[in-house]
């Protein structure tokens, strides 16, 4: 187990460490530094001490905390109405890769109601064991019950890595789980890999408004927790010949639940989810006004796609937040992404998977979106979109006539 201590003979009582500690965990006693219980072992005080009077002993190989060793890679599955969300299979593919680097097993925590049959699919997609809780109390995605049960299971099975989908629900419960386990959490990772020297999980995510990528490690707490957005990773293929265990761990449901879900209502844009669509037609400020949004909707409709948006127009109320593509919205990986009146800010581009074929329509030939577009149309959206819709409808109609 890692620990921190003050080498009393070396400490001169300069208080540098005290000023540096972000957690107020250092106090002075008899002119010597003393570390309190709220120390998170972050290591910030080490560099502040010019007298080498602070010692942190790390145990990286076989990591231990609270009296037990942590091993294995775990995925927290997400389902809605019994259907496993695709992001779970995406995380499972990554979990398998990490587990093979660490030579360890992959487990999945699967909570829900009437989910027993789907547990087998998790094994087919790469899980060695599924820790399932099937209970009517889990019918709704309750943000109080799910983190509580997950924490109980994690404390029992002690995985060294826990991966969660950065969906709306995942983003809500992941910090609660991290806080209950007193460990770190890196949100919205775009890359996860095992450092060959230390065996630590290196978690990379955009920082400073997407202008640089930060790689974060969690050396002193377990599990190492990361969330990844849907479509950032590739899902594993099912192999029905795979064998694994389905375990039903004993859990205690919390007694005084303060959060009751009365009704779950799906918004229209959730019904045509931009994350799952093969074609996304997105609107930006270049659409000029909310009434022109119908041009984008028409194009999406004729192509059988979904409507996305930039943050600028979501802020104006022209589109819903669930339609926002980008760093603070969703990541999409359609086959075709049509950007209408979008400048191409880095925060918007962060939400478009590199595999997408990008078609940009912008009246400014120097707009940054053209730098990443596969096909660019320099023109006014208000003129180009109606023409496009007209042509596509004609093609569709002639196809129907030929088939008839
Ligand atoms: C921390 C942070 C997070 C952010 N997260 C996100 C995010 O998740 N998603 C996101 O989208 N943004 C995000 N942003 C905002 C981002 O920086 C941009 O401000 C935003 O994407 C710009 O939206 P836009 O392209 O619609 O508008 P603008 O930048 O104003 O671009 C409008 C474009 O339309 C063109 N145009 C104008 N009229 C026409 C016309 N008639 N026909 C054709 N083209 C026309 C213009 O030439 C221009 O290029 C974030 C910003 C920050 C700081
Ligand atoms: S390791 Fe971090 S939390 Fe602990 S005393 Fe040093 S600075 Fe404070
Ligand atoms: S910085 Fe070092 S020498 Fe100064 S009080 Fe802290 S432990 Fe002691």
């Amino acid at each position: 187990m890692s620990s921190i201590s003050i080498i009393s003979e070396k400490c001169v009582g300069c208080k540098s460490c005290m000023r540096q500690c972000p957690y107020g965990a250092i106090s002075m006693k008899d002119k010597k530094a003393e570390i309190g219980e709220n120390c998170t072992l972050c290591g910030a005080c080490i560099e502040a001490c010019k007298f080498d009077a602070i010692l942190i002993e790390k145990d990286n190989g076989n990591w231990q905390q609270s009296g037990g060793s942590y091993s294995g890679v775990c995925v927290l599955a997400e389902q809605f109405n019994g259907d496993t969300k695709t992001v779970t299979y995406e995380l499972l593919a990554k979990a398998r890769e990490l587990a093979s680097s660490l030579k360890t097993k992959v487990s999945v925590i699967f909570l829900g109601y009437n989910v027993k049959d789907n547990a087998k699919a998790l094994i087919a997609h790469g899980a060695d064991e599924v820790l399932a809780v099937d209970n009517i109390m889990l019918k709704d995605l309750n943000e109080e019950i799910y983190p509580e049960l997950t924490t109980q299971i994690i404390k029992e099975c002690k995985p060294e890595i826990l991966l969660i989908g950065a969906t709306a629900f995942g983003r809500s419960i992941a910090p609660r789980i991290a806080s209950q386990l007193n460990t770190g959490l890196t949100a919205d990772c775009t890359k996860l890999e095992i450092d060959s020297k230390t065996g630590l999980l290196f978690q990379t995510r955009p920082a400073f408004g997407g202008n640089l990528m930060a790689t974060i490690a969690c050396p002193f707490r377990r599990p190492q927790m990361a969330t990844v957005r849907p479509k950032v990773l590739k899902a594993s293929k099912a192999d029905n010949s795979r064998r694994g265990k389905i375990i039903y761990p004993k859990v205690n449901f919390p007694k005084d639940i303060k959060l009751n879900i009365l009704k779950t209502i799906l918004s229209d844009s959730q019904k045509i989810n931009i994350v799952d669509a093969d074609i996304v037609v997105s609107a930006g400020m270049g659409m000029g006004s909310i009434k022109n949004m119908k041009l984008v909707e028409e194009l999406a409709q004729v192509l059988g796609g979904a409507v996305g948006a930039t943050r600028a127009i979501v802020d104006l109320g022209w589109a819903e937040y669930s339609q926002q593509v980008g760093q603070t919205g969703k990541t999409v990986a359609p086959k075709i992404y049509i950007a209408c009146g979008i400048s191409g800010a880095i925060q918007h581009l962060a939400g478009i998977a590199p595999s997408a074929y990008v078609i940009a329509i912008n009246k400014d030939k120097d707009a940054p979106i053209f730098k990443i577009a596969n096909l660019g149309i320099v023109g006014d959206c208000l003129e180009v979109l109606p023409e496009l819709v007209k042509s596509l409808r004609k093609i569709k109609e002639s196809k129907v006539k030929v088939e008839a």
Side-chain angles (χ1 to χ4, degrees):
M1 181 172 167
S2 296
S3 64
I4 182 167
S5 56
I6 301 287
I7 305 166
S8 187
E9 306 81 65
K10 290 188 176 177
C11 176
V12 299
C14 70
K15 296 187 184 170
S16 289
C17 55
M18 226 172 122
R19 287 189 286 272
Q20 199 63 32
C21 175
Y23 300 94
I26 305 180
S27 58
M28 301 302 289
K29 195 175 170 198
D30 300 331
K31 295 196 177 148
K32 302 278 179 194
E34 204 173 65
I35 312 275
E37 275 187 359
N38 49 335
C39 169
T40 64
L41 292 168
C42 73
C45 55
I46 300 277
E47 282 187 28
C49 180
K50 302 278 177 280
F51 303 91
D52 294 334
I54 307 175
L55 185 68
I56 287 193
E57 281 177 293
K58 301 174 197 172
D59 182 359
N60 278 331
N62 183 16
W63 219 93
Q64 300 223 327
Q65 187 181 311
S66 314
S69 55
Y70 282 67
S71 70
V73 182
C74 183
V75 170
L76 176 61
E78 187 173 332
Q79 54 77 34
F80 184 63
N81 281 342
D83 293 331
T84 311
K85 291 216 166 170
T86 322
V87 68
T88 304
Y89 301 128
E90 294 164 6
L91 294 174
L92 253 170
K94 178 51 77 175
R96 274 255 64 94
E97 197 186 304
L98 300 175
S100 84
S101 301
L102 290 166
K103 298 188 177 45
T104 187
K105 66 176 178 191
V106 173
S107 54
V108 176
I109 297 176
F110 195 32
L111 312 178
Y113 179 51
N114 277 340
V115 292
K116 277 187 188 134
D117 291 345
N118 297 6
K120 286 184 200 133
L122 294 168
I123 291 170
H125 277 88
D128 296 313
E129 65 181 26
V130 179
L131 302 147
V133 181
D134 199 318
N135 193 294
I136 183 104
M137 297 266 285
L138 296 166
K139 192 166 177 285
D140 296 313
L141 296 178
N142 187 304
E143 285 155 347
E144 219 180 329
I145 301 175
Y146 272 74
E148 170 61 35
L149 299 194
T150 306
T151 306
Q152 286 180 28
I153 296 170
I154 293 287
K155 281 182 178 166
E156 269 309 305
C157 72
K158 290 189 164 44
E160 57 191 306
I161 293 170
L162 174 63
L163 306 179
I164 300 178
T167 57
F169 187 60
R171 281 176 197 213
S172 168
I173 64 167
R176 292 163 204 255
I177 297 166
S179 156
Q180 286 176 28
L181 293 168
N182 199 15
T183 188
L185 166 68
T186 309
D188 288 354
C189 295
T190 51
K191 192 172 161 195
L192 295 170
E193 61 189 347
I194 301 296
D195 175 44
S196 56
K197 281 193 201 128
T198 58
L200 287 171
L201 177 67
F202 275 7
Q203 309 156 55
T204 304
R205 55 150 298 150
F208 295 101
N211 289 315
L212 61 85
M213 301 301 280
T215 298
I216 296 159
C218 176
F220 303 121
R221 295 281 160 177
R222 290 297 178 273
Q224 302 161 87
M225 280 182 63
T227 68
V228 184
R229 291 189 197 191
K231 298 276 179 179
V232 167
L233 303 168
K234 247 186 141 175
S236 55
K237 285 210 173 95
D239 171 2
N240 291 322
S241 65
R242 285 198 86 253
R243 292 286 164 262
K245 280 190 284 182
I246 301 176
I247 300 162
Y248 293 94
K250 256 187 132 184
V251 287
N252 297 316
F253 279 81
K255 289 214 167 65
D256 57 337
I257 300 157
K258 292 169 200 78
L259 183 72
N260 274 318
I261 298 183
L262 303 178
K263 202 174 174 187
T264 303
I265 304 161
L266 285 184
S267 73
D268 280 350
S269 49
Q270 263 176 303
K271 285 176 200 157
I272 331 163
N273 195 335
I274 54 169
V275 173
D276 299 324
D278 276 344
I279 299 177
V280 174
V281 186
S282 276
M285 288 298 284
M287 292 312 299
S289 76
I290 191 166
K291 73 171 182 5
N292 295 331
M293 286 296 288
K294 72 170 189 313
L295 299 176
V296 177
E297 282 154 16
E298 272 173 12
L299 181 59
Q301 197 220 352
V302 74
L303 292 169
V307 177
T310 64
R311 183 162 109 173
I313 72 157
V314 169
D315 288 348
L316 285 174
W318 299 359
E320 286 184 37
Y321 171 65
S322 56
Q323 293 173 278
Q324 185 180 314
V325 174
Q327 189 189 319
T328 44
K330 286 181 177 161
T331 297
V332 294
K335 289 188 181 127
I336 301 173
Y337 187 84
I338 308 180
C340 310
I342 293 175
S343 58
I346 188 152
Q347 296 89 354
H348 183 76
L349 302 183
I352 309 169
S355 57
Y357 186 91
V358 177
I359 302 173
I361 310 164
N362 197 304
K363 67 179 184 188
D364 173 8
K365 69 173 177 31
D366 297 319
I369 189 85
F370 288 132
K371 288 204 181 102
I372 63 109
N374 301 87
L375 180 71
I377 302 171
V378 180
D380 187 333
C381 281
L382 308 187
E383 291 167 9
V384 175
L385 289 181
E387 285 303 319
L388 260 178
V389 171
K390 214 160 82 185
S391 308
L392 285 163
R393 279 194 182 134
K394 254 192 199 159
I395 293 169
K396 269 189 149 181
E397 276 163 22
S398 61
K399 241 182 132 187
V400 172
K401 273 183 201 153
V402 170
E403 276 163 15

